[in-house]
Amino acid sequence: MLADVFRQTIARGLQRKAIRTCSKWARLYRIMGPPHPGPWGPGPAPWTLDMHDSLAPVNIGQKSAQMGYTETALNITLYKIDIENLDCLYVLPAKTPDASEFSAARFDPAIELSTHISSMFSSVKNVGHKRAGAVNLYIRGSNSRSALKSIPVAFIVFDELDEMNQDNIPLAEERTSGRENPQIWKISTPTLPNEGINELFLESTQEHYEFICPFCSRIIELIWPDAIKIIGDHHSNCEDSHLQCPKCKHKLDHETKTIWLADGKWTPYGDASLDVRGFYINQLYSIKRRPEEVVKLYFKGLIDKASEQEFFNSKLGLPHIVKGAQVQAHEVNRARGSRRKDDPLPDNKIITMGVDQGRWLYYEIVAWDFESLGNDLNMSAKANVLAEGKVVDFEDLDVLMRQYQVLKCVIDAQPDRRKAYEFACKYWGHVLLCFYARGQMGKMITIDPSTEQHKITVDRTSWLDVSLNRFRLKTITLPQDLSEEYPEHIQNLVKHYKTDKYGNPMGEYRNMGPDHLAHAHCYAEIALPLAAALTTNKNVRIYL
Ligand SMILES: [Zn+2]
């Protein structure tokens, strides 16, 4: 009896010594639940095998949804803890619900199904901090700076990077400073071109998963649209669409995928000598999801913007800007009028100013033209931009308030709330601090009932829609001597479409670079109905 235990212990010890790679470790210790129960194997996601064993210090995964990248990152994390005794940090977009869901839906099943993994951990109750003997696993949301401080680790995963608070990513990365050979994984479904995961991928080896066509024996890749034979012309009649070899056009059966994908290889399309490896994959590779689902969403995307965005981002794993989601250069150019910034002011106009706080104070000053003051004022009014630009401090805003006889100014409340507040007190009734919020209905403007707060709350997407749509609707005139930054900032705000948890399409503006003047432009727009309410002494609601 004792001899048996002794033999088993020796055997286990030898077995552990033989584990030099993460994929070996996962095959031995990781037990999966449904839909592929049993010991882990690369079968359901063959492209992840080589990813498990990457030794690159930085690894970038640009992917479509549900391609096994999170499972891979979890395996590597557990391997680092078990075999290399390294402290690890797993970062998700938010603490709630992402970090708690990850802990319950990914981490807990991994320990429940494997006696080895469950024996590794001495304490797992805390959602954000699991202990494996002297080694720590931190699971954190990117939205809290304090949760990312003072935790030294040698391995970090950023999961769904494009949804994270981008400002806090460098803070998390600093956690590896001073550690020998740290490794970082960043994975995400992409959003916009040259942003987030896509920007990082473009600076990597840019590897694609290639394999040999079972019919023509040439090296091929499953890419849209070459690798798909579309049958039908609508999302309701395309179920016979199927995969095909992009070279010999022979049908590739979805059912036999595991066979012909098994010997695939990651091939660099970028600079192979880089020590940042990038892994790109799309849903045509999915063993689980059928290719006709991709075709279905393609047809849906032809009629609605949220589906178009989802088709490119979540199915093809590609960044994408939906048509009309970004103001075009020619739309800004054609808005230029003959007026120059220091020409005399037009008579008898309502004049508003929007101010966005950044390293500078960015402003836009608008004189408004409208037939009559009434409901939905922003839709009927035309904007004549008198001036735009940036100044150093709040004293400079005083000069602008007087020079342009600004009736109402809306200013970004952040980051210097105190200075903005002092400015509002100085021009009591003429300046409001603006907070962007979610869950506000459309163009509502919620005015804080205590007037001494000088505070309003608005829905970000709705008001950016109204103010940026002016360029398409040709209801804006810009000064001839526009700053160089202005067109750039306006174009840097791009609407990204999503479907919310109830399946409703929603949009959110993301920036592809500096966007302060675009926000100043938006605040000047918000100021219009507030100015109208001030001159008529009526509730702002009647102008919305
Ligand atoms: Zn072929």
Side-chain angles (χ1 to χ4, degrees):
M1 192 56 189
L2 202 62
D4 276 352
V5 173
F6 188 64
R7 252 200 308 278
Q8 275 170 17
T9 311
I10 295 273
R12 265 205 298 274
L14 288 173
Q15 201 176 33
R16 282 180 65 77
K17 279 224 174 92
I19 300 169
R20 297 253 160 73
T21 65
C22 174
S23 63
K24 264 192 189 163
W25 178 91
R27 282 183 202 271
L28 205 57
Y29 296 130
R30 186 77 202 279
I31 310 293
M32 308 302 290
H36 302 280
W40 178 88
W47 51 90
T48 64
L49 179 63
D50 193 36
M51 292 166 66
H52 277 80
D53 301 330
S54 168
L55 297 175
V58 180
N59 297 271
I60 308 298
Q62 181 185 311
K63 59 168 190 95
S64 54
Q66 295 167 315
M67 298 306 289
Y69 280 40
T70 292
E71 248 3 287
T72 303
L74 179 58
N75 281 347
I76 303 171
T77 305
L78 294 170
Y79 168 76
K80 295 271 176 190
I81 292 170
D82 189 23
I83 302 296
E84 297 184 7
N85 290 312
L86 297 176
D87 295 312
C88 297
L89 168 62
Y90 202 104
V91 186
L92 294 134
K95 182 183 176 203
T96 331
D98 309 313
S100 358
E101 271 174 19
F102 176 84
S103 181
R106 304 282 192 164
F107 180 81
D108 291 352
I111 60 166
E112 274 158 28
L113 292 165
S114 158
T115 44
H116 175 78
I117 298 172
S118 99
S119 74
M120 280 164 54
F121 286 91
S122 44
S123 156
V124 294
K125 279 201 193 106
N126 188 314
V127 166
H129 183 192
K130 323 276 187 196
R131 275 172 192 284
V135 184
N136 300 288
L137 166 61
Y138 303 97
I139 302 171
R140 297 284 152 98
S142 71
N143 48 355
S144 164
R145 287 182 74 82
S146 60
L148 297 168
K149 275 182 186 158
S150 27
I151 38 172
V153 294
F155 179 72
I156 309 183
V157 177
F158 294 89
D159 195 343
E160 280 312 335
L161 181 105
D162 278 32
E163 299 307 316
M164 290 184 187
N165 181 336
Q166 304 292 312
D167 296 343
N168 294 346
I169 293 171
L171 180 77
E173 281 176 312
E174 274 170 37
R175 299 303 109 223
T176 63
S177 65
R179 298 297 281 257
E180 242 178 82
N181 307 318
Q183 197 185 37
I184 294 179
W185 272 85
K186 293 177 174 173
I187 59 182
S188 190
T189 305
T191 48
L192 300 173
N194 264 311
E195 276 305 298
I197 203 74
N198 183 243
E199 184 185 20
L200 299 171
F201 181 74
L202 294 174
E203 289 158 6
S204 75
T205 52
Q206 300 183 49
E207 297 174 43
H208 290 224
Y209 196 70
E210 293 185 333
F211 59 98
I212 293 168
C213 169
F215 300 98
C216 68
S217 302
R218 282 180 281 191
I219 294 170
I220 57 168
E221 178 196 11
L222 295 179
I223 43 158
W224 178 274
D226 297 5
I228 197 112
K229 173 81 181 163
I230 296 179
I231 296 173
D233 57 7
H234 189 259
H235 63 82
S236 62
N237 70 8
C238 62
E239 58 279 358
D240 290 331
S241 302
H242 57 77
L243 292 171
Q244 65 176 11
C245 165
K247 292 195 173 146
C248 72
K249 308 288 175 197
H250 198 288
K251 181 180 179 184
L252 295 170
D253 268 317
H254 174 73
E255 284 71 18
T256 58
K257 246 178 198 171
T258 41
I259 302 165
W260 38 267
L261 284 181
D263 295 323
K265 283 202 166 44
W266 286 105
T267 309
Y269 282 36
D271 181 353
S273 69
L274 291 173
D275 60 3
V276 180
R277 282 189 76 181
F279 303 94
Y280 162 73
I281 204 128
N282 65 60
Q283 220 172 71
L284 297 178
Y285 282 88
S286 175
I287 307 285
K288 201 161 51 175
R289 299 301 194 87
R290 301 188 60 89
E292 58 267 30
E293 286 183 42
V294 178
V295 180
K296 245 183 215 177
L297 199 62
Y298 163 71
F299 281 121
K300 282 187 180 164
L302 297 179
I303 41 182
D304 91 88
K305 290 175 175 181
S307 298
E308 176 184 337
Q309 189 87 60
E310 193 190 348
F311 168 73
F312 281 95
N313 295 164
S314 303
K315 297 288 171 185
L316 300 190
L318 295 175
H320 183 66
I321 298 177
V322 168
K323 195 168 180 286
Q326 180 184 35
V327 175
Q328 300 298 298
H330 73 89
E331 291 171 324
V332 180
N333 264 325
R334 75 178 175 202
R336 280 176 204 254
S338 54
R339 198 186 171 282
R340 299 183 66 87
K341 286 175 185 171
D342 48 15
D343 284 353
L345 295 185
D347 289 331
N348 303 317
K349 300 285 181 199
I350 283 186
I351 294 175
T352 66
M353 175 160 77
V355 179
D356 190 51
Q357 297 199 53
R359 274 186 59 197
W360 301 74
L361 295 166
Y362 294 81
Y363 65 90
E364 179 175 307
I365 299 165
V366 184
W368 296 95
D369 277 312
F370 43 83
E371 298 273 302
S372 62
L373 283 172
N375 189 254
D376 215 352
L377 183 59
N378 295 83
M379 284 309 283
S380 60
K382 290 200 164 108
N384 184 9
V385 178
L386 302 177
E388 49 73 35
K390 59 188 179 190
V391 292
V392 180
D393 52 42
F394 280 78
E395 284 70 47
D396 301 318
L397 292 181
D398 288 339
V399 176
L400 293 171
M401 286 292 280
R402 286 195 297 269
Q403 187 186 342
Y404 289 93
Q405 295 163 35
V406 173
L407 180 61
K408 201 84 179 184
C409 168
V410 170
I411 178 169
D412 178 16
Q414 313 283 2
D416 198 335
R417 190 167 175 185
R418 189 182 58 84
K419 279 253 173 79
Y421 178 74
E422 284 168 5
F423 181 61
C425 289
K426 197 167 173 186
Y427 295 92
W428 196 280
H430 295 275
V431 174
L432 286 166
L433 275 59
C434 186
F435 289 84
Y436 280 143
R438 296 214 172 89
Q440 294 281 310
M441 290 288 289
K443 280 187 311 186
M444 272 275 290
I445 296 177
T446 308
I447 303 173
D448 193 296
S450 47
T451 47
E452 69 273 21
Q453 294 291 318
H454 310 286
K455 182 183 151 188
I456 58 166
T457 310
V458 302
D459 179 63
R460 188 177 186 269
T461 305
S462 305
W463 281 100
L464 285 169
D465 275 347
V466 173
S467 60
L468 293 172
N469 275 342
R470 291 197 173 277
F471 292 95
R472 190 170 47 81
L473 300 171
K474 303 185 197 170
T475 55
I476 183 167
T477 309
L478 299 172
Q480 205 186 92
D481 47 347
L482 203 61
S483 71
E484 260 177 53
E485 282 175 306
Y486 190 87
E488 190 193 317
H489 284 210
I490 292 288
Q491 289 187 80
N492 275 341
L493 265 188
V494 179
K495 195 171 184 180
H496 184 257
Y497 291 86
K498 275 206 285 206
T499 320
D500 70 11
K501 57 183 171 187
Y502 307 107
N504 304 312
M506 56 174 270
E508 185 182 25
Y509 282 91
R510 289 170 167 257
N511 66 329
M512 299 179 62
D515 60 353
H516 297 293
L517 287 166
H519 289 288
H521 167 72
C522 181
Y523 293 132
E525 180 88 45
I526 299 167
L528 170 62
L530 294 161
L534 185 68
T535 50
T536 58
N537 201 23
K538 287 183 175 151
N539 192 305
V540 69
R541 231 175 299 162
I542 66 169
Y543 301 116
L544 297 173

